[in-house]
Amino acid sequence: MSASQYLFSGVALLMGLLIVLVSGRLIAGPTTADRLIALDTINTLVSGIMLLLGAVYDSVVMVDVAIVYMALSFVSTLYFARHLEGGM
């Protein structure tokens, strides 16, 4: 492994730790909007981890999966935000 692969792996590990920390906000709340923001943050971090691991393992498939995951995450966030406003 090269130095950049070690760096990317370390950053991915750090982002995994951040997911664990943000999961506390997802569970505790206190409001539904806080939980929605925590879920969106987790989805963003997961997408970032996928991109980093795609760079580490030189896998284009991981980048494609991350792009689809980000698109679905964006649509779900819009849906939940609209639901919170009472528009649906």
Side-chain angles (χ1 to χ4, degrees):
M1 272 176 106
S2 68
S4 64
Q5 289 175 329
Y6 280 117
L7 178 67
F8 288 161
S9 297
V11 172
L13 188 64
L14 179 65
M15 291 172 80
L17 178 65
L18 290 174
I19 287 174
V20 171
L21 293 175
V22 173
S23 295
R25 176 59 61 189
L26 180 67
I27 294 169
T31 66
T32 305
D34 291 335
R35 290 185 174 117
L36 180 62
I37 292 170
L39 181 64
D40 191 45
T41 303
I42 289 171
N43 286 333
T44 303
L45 288 170
V46 167
S47 300
I49 289 172
M50 284 184 205
L51 291 174
L52 285 172
L53 292 180
V56 168
Y57 294 111
D58 196 24
S59 172
V60 178
V61 174
M62 291 290 284
V63 175
D64 293 339
V65 170
I67 290 171
V68 170
Y69 187 83
M70 284 188 273
L72 292 175
S73 171
F74 177 70
V75 170
S76 68
T77 300
L78 288 178
Y79 175 78
F80 286 128
R82 180 90 181 216
H83 181 71
L84 279 179
E85 286 184 344
M88 298 200 129

